[in-house]
Amino acid sequence: MKGKNIVLFGPPGAGKGTQALKLITLLNVPHISTGDMFRYHTKNQTELGKKAQEYMNAGGLVPDEITIQMVRERLGNPDVKEGFLLDGFPRSTPQAKELDKMLEAIGKPLDHVVNISVSDDEIRTRLAKRAGIEGRKDDADQSVIQKRMDTYKNQSEPCLDYYRPLGKVRDINGLGSIDEIFERIRAAITSS
Ligand code: AMP
């Protein structure tokens, strides 16, 4: 296996969070989810949380100056020494470029961008189901779901064009059981 510096990439509802929990056990690296960090801040109504909330509720991206600074601080934590699993970051090409700079500064270049794909119809079905389970506001509203899917297509997906020529993208079919998808990811990151 080449390394444990990993980005988990894919549209909302691709199963990134579910796979992340299994991967961190396998790899023994910290799970860095920007969505979870923002939810922590909004729940606790910190200054950062108050700023992030309106963007999250609308299904858009929290501005880069807030997001990038939060990730930069997190990557400054010594627990990333053996690697990290970034989940939900980067979500735009400018964020991807900033991430490269941060990783260069700490001497930990990215090894894999694990790209989990699922169809739009499957995303809608999964998010509707998750709304009933996790109670996330942004899963419960059809127009917010559509906005998040549009945000993914317009702003996040172009990250793949940035990473592909660098040979870092591992394409994973996100349809199947949790264990099947996990096995695909495990195989992809251990063989490349
Ligand atoms: P997630 O749990 O990853 O779906 O993220 C929930 C929400 O948090 C997103 O819809 C965005 O509003 C915000 N968010 C998470 N990660 C980022 C990011 N890298 N850049 C900007 N906003 C983000």
Side-chain angles (χ1 to χ4, degrees):
M1 180 167 172
K2 206 171 126 203
K4 299 189 191 180
N5 304 336
I6 301 173
V7 162
L8 210 46
F9 196 84
K16 299 189 294 294
T18 307
Q19 294 299 328
L21 296 183
K22 291 174 76 71
L23 278 166
I24 53 167
T25 309
L26 173 77
L27 303 171
N28 199 22
V29 295
H31 177 205
I32 304 178
S33 157
T34 43
D36 284 352
M37 291 162 90
F38 283 135
R39 276 184 289 279
Y40 170 86
H41 281 284
T42 51
K43 187 168 166 235
N44 291 288
Q45 282 295 291
T46 66
E47 281 311 306
L48 195 156
K50 286 179 197 161
K51 285 184 200 157
Q53 202 156 19
E54 60 175 298
Y55 300 98
M56 296 175 76
N57 288 344
L61 295 184
V62 177
D64 276 356
E65 64 267 25
I66 301 174
T67 309
I68 289 168
Q69 181 56 21
M70 183 177 80
V71 173
R72 184 178 285 118
E73 279 174 26
R74 181 61 185 86
L75 288 174
N77 191 310
D79 68 349
V80 302
K81 196 166 60 103
E82 301 300 331
F84 52 80
L85 186 65
L86 273 169
D87 165 4
F89 185 92
R91 248 175 159 103
S92 66
T93 308
Q95 289 185 4
K97 290 183 177 165
E98 275 305 316
L99 177 63
D100 271 354
K101 287 189 208 156
M102 292 179 218
L103 295 179
E104 198 182 312
I106 60 171
K108 299 197 59 59
L110 205 54
D111 297 306
H112 310 281
V113 176
V114 174
N115 174 37
I116 310 179
S117 334
V118 290
S119 70
D120 287 0
D121 282 348
E122 178 70 13
I123 291 173
R124 289 195 189 89
T125 309
R126 288 189 190 182
L127 293 184
K129 198 168 149 200
R130 188 169 79 182
I133 300 168
E134 293 182 17
R136 271 176 62 167
K137 251 196 211 160
D138 58 349
D139 285 342
D141 182 322
Q142 281 307 318
S143 66
V144 176
I145 289 178
Q146 190 56 48
K147 179 74 196 324
R148 287 160 69 205
M149 290 168 68
D150 293 345
T151 301
Y152 176 76
K153 286 218 163 61
N154 299 331
Q155 297 190 63
S156 308
E157 219 166 39
C159 286
L160 294 172
D161 298 332
Y162 173 73
Y163 286 125
R164 236 177 246 293
L166 305 174
K168 296 191 194 255
V169 179
R170 320 286 172 238
D171 289 300
I172 304 292
N173 172 2
L175 215 55
S177 73
I178 291 173
D179 286 341
E180 277 165 355
I181 296 161
F182 178 64
E183 182 47 35
R184 286 174 201 153
I185 298 175
R186 197 198 57 74
I189 60 178
T190 43
S191 67
S192 34

